[in-house]
């Protein structure tokens, strides 16, 4: 549980802050809502008080003996300003302290995330862009606004990201610190495979695996928040697309191979800077796929399912790697009589030829579908970095910390 301050600016998107508040409290956090005076024209203080269980004030003249304008910021572990209006960004950049929220921003030692929402003209205005640059230079995270329908009939950049996406990013910052969301991947193209392939036996059955896609999703979420242009090649993943990420759905290993080669630029298209193979790819598929459903009472009931080998997508991506491209593999390993987890992993890294291999020790039970994970990141240059047990977001942040220094 963390102490989070939810700052709410005075824009119509303030209504979405109630849903964000709900998501944060349901994740177990203690949230103190600090709206601006104009935010309360859109959402009443009673809504924030009921959902947070904490009092709500906008000015510094309440709870004066408690010195709230200093204490709320000092004790926060994360401040999320959602929505951040053009005026609020301007006041924060200028270092004003004319209400409780701006005073809180001046006293906070913790990571601060601004989630802007405004009309496109206001977002693109040089004054706003300068304010955003100032806040980022001082260490705050300012997310790029979503593109889409704005208040009224117009659309463009300026829309507030969905509450679930902001809540997920808040968890990344809490797990991995503000550095996990630095906008240092702007201009980089990233392709990530996620999920598990399904190899059909007949029109209704398949050979599959239990990969949920959550680790790939976390990798995409962190990369997108750091400014990268991210494509997820998703094999059978039942999760909503992360904010700002393009999802290419695939089913089989063959489909995943074609999509990854295309997106990585191995076929001559725009080359990706980073290619991550987080998907669990079936090594084998049924040699034939029945055109009609296999019947248990039919004379053609099979007594064995012949399998053929699937292509090794990671190995092929490595062979076709474009200049400067960083290729990252994943491996779930167990120790056995031939060697421990790390010995197997080092051999796999050498065999596959990728730049980095993220190794999960699955000896003690699966990581599949679970929200948490632990890993070791092995590099082709021989270094091994331990990633302590934590959320898949924290593991994703650690993987990106290993990737970024290797980018040209
Ligand atoms: N991989 C792949 N294509 C395959 C199998 C695996 O691209 N046909 C990728 C996975 O996405 C992962 C890495 O290779 O990034 C390692 O997967 P793993 O299943 O551990 O590798 P295998 O080569 O199948 O090794 P093993 O003999 O241990 O099964």
């Amino acid at each position: 549980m963390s102490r989070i301050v939810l700052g709410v600016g005075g824009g119509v998107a303030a209504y979405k802050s109630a849903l964000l508040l709900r998501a944060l409290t349901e994740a177990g956090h203690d949230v103190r809502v600090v709206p601006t005076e104009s935010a309360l024209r859109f959402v009443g203080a009673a809504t924030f008080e009921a959902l947070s269980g904490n009092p709500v004030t906008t000015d510094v003249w309440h709870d004066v003996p408690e010195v709230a304008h200093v204490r709320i910021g000092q004790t926060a572990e994360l401040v999320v300003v959602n929505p951040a209006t053009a005026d609020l960004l301007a006041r924060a950049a200028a270092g004003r302290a004319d209400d409780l929220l701006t005073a809180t921003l001046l006293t906070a030692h913790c990571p601060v995330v601004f989630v802007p929402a405004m009309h496109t003209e206001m977002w693109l205005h040089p004054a706003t862009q300068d304010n955003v640059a100032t806040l980022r230079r001082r260490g705050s995270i300012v997310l790029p606004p979503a593109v889409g329908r704005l208040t009224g009939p117009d659309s463009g950049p300026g829309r507030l990201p969905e509450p679930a996406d902001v809540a997920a990013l808040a968890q990344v910052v809490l797990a991995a610190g503000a550095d996990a969301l630095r906008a240092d991947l702007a201009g980089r193209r990233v392709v990530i495979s996620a999920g598990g392939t399904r190899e059909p036996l007949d029109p209704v059955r398949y050979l599959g695996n239990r990969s949920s896609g959550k680790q790939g999703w976390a990798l995409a979420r962190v990369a997108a928040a750091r400014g990268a242009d991210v494509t997820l090649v998703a094999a059978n993943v039942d999760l909503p697309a992360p904010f700002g990420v393009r999802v290419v759905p695939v089913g089989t290993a063959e489909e995943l191979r074609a999509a990854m080669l295309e997106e990585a630029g191995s076929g001559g298209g725009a080359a990706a800077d980073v290619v991550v193979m987080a998907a669990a790819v079936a090594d084998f598929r049924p040699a034939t796929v029945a055109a009609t459903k296999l019947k248990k009472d039919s004379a053609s009931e099979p007594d064995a399912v012949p399998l053929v080998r699937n292509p090794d997508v990671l190995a092929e991506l490595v062979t076709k790697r474009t200049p400067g491209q960083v290729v990252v593999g994943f491996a779930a390993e167990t120790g056995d009589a031939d060697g421990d987890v790390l010995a197997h992993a080092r051999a796999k890294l050498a065999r596959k030829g990728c730049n980095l291999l993220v190794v999960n020790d699955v000896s003690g039970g699966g990581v599949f579908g679970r929200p948490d994970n632990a890993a070791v990141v092995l590099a082709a240059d021989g270094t091994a970095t331990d990633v302590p047990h934590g959320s898949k977001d924290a593991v994703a942040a650690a993987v990106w910390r290993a990737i970024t220094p290797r980018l040209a």
Side-chain angles (χ1 to χ4, degrees):
M1 184 189 84
S2 300
R3 292 172 66 91
I4 300 177
V5 170
L6 174 57
V8 183
V12 65
Y15 79 91
K16 288 189 185 172
S17 63
L19 297 171
L20 173 59
L21 169 58
R22 188 70 197 232
L24 294 173
T25 53
E26 275 176 4
H29 302 299
D30 178 25
V31 186
R32 175 83 191 240
V33 182
V34 185
T36 62
E37 195 58 45
S38 40
L40 293 184
R41 287 171 169 252
F42 294 101
V43 183
T47 301
F48 293 133
E49 289 187 332
L51 291 176
S52 71
N54 283 317
V56 168
T57 47
T58 61
D59 62 52
V60 297
W61 306 113
H62 282 81
D63 303 324
V64 174
E66 278 190 62
V67 207
H69 70 289
V70 175
R71 189 183 43 79
I72 293 173
Q74 280 176 336
T75 55
E77 289 163 79
L78 173 69
V79 178
V80 181
V81 183
N82 176 98
T85 58
D87 178 65
L88 191 48
L89 290 171
R91 290 194 291 131
R96 298 288 299 267
D98 45 0
D99 61 8
L100 187 57
L101 179 52
T102 46
T104 298
L105 289 171
L106 284 182
T107 53
H109 307 292
C110 61
V112 178
V113 181
F114 290 94
V115 191
M118 63 199 73
H119 269 80
T120 306
E121 290 86 344
M122 296 174 98
W123 171 250
L124 294 177
H125 194 283
T128 305
Q129 290 299 310
D130 281 353
N131 291 330
V132 168
T134 300
L135 291 166
R136 283 184 176 154
R137 183 168 44 76
R138 292 190 194 135
S140 296
I141 296 156
V142 185
L143 296 179
V147 177
R149 179 82 190 271
L150 305 171
T151 326
D154 42 350
S155 61
R159 201 179 140 88
L160 191 77
E162 293 309 309
D165 292 315
V166 179
L169 292 176
Q171 300 282 21
V172 173
V173 178
L174 286 169
D179 279 343
L181 299 191
R182 288 280 165 255
D184 54 356
L185 292 175
R188 300 287 190 177
R189 241 174 69 71
V190 169
V191 181
I192 300 167
S193 71
T197 64
R198 289 180 183 173
E199 312 300 326
L201 275 159
D202 69 11
V204 292
R205 304 183 181 91
Y206 58 83
L207 296 182
N209 61 71
R210 291 167 54 200
S211 177
S212 66
K214 285 180 184 164
Q215 186 62 71
W217 246 239
L219 287 159
R221 191 156 49 228
V222 172
R226 290 176 74 152
D229 168 4
V230 185
T231 301
L232 260 173
V233 173
N236 311 298
V237 181
D238 189 19
L239 295 168
F243 169 53
V245 171
R246 188 167 68 96
V247 176
V248 178
V250 294
T252 64
E254 248 324 321
E255 289 166 11
L256 184 137
R257 170 183 172 272
M260 285 305 286
L261 289 173
E262 162 81 21
E263 297 296 335
S266 313
D273 298 284
V274 184
V275 179
V276 184
M277 276 295 297
V281 184
D283 287 321
F284 301 96
R285 66 175 183 275
T288 54
V289 182
T292 53
K293 188 181 168 194
L294 299 170
K295 297 283 194 191
K296 65 175 174 294
D297 57 355
S298 91
S300 58
E301 182 175 320
D303 52 9
V305 178
L307 300 174
V308 292
R309 202 180 263 263
N310 265 332
D312 187 326
V313 183
L314 178 59
E316 190 171 353
L317 286 163
V318 167
T319 325
K320 297 180 174 166
R321 179 164 42 195
T322 61
Q325 191 173 66
V326 176
V327 181
V328 183
F330 268 70
E333 297 286 345
T334 58
D336 59 23
D338 294 329
D340 63 6
V341 167
L342 272 188
H344 283 300
R346 283 190 202 284
K348 187 168 284 181
L349 175 64
R351 201 164 63 236
K352 301 261 185 182
C354 46
N355 302 77
L356 294 170
L357 189 71
V358 184
V359 187
N360 295 133
D361 181 346
V362 291
S363 309
V367 296
F368 300 106
R370 287 180 42 175
D372 52 354
N373 207 348
V376 178
V377 182
L378 291 184
D381 58 23
T383 57
T385 311
D386 265 313
V387 182
H389 198 266
S391 67
K392 288 187 173 175
D393 283 327
V395 171
V399 171
W400 279 109
R401 269 199 295 279
I403 293 171
T404 38
R406 292 176 165 82
L407 287 169

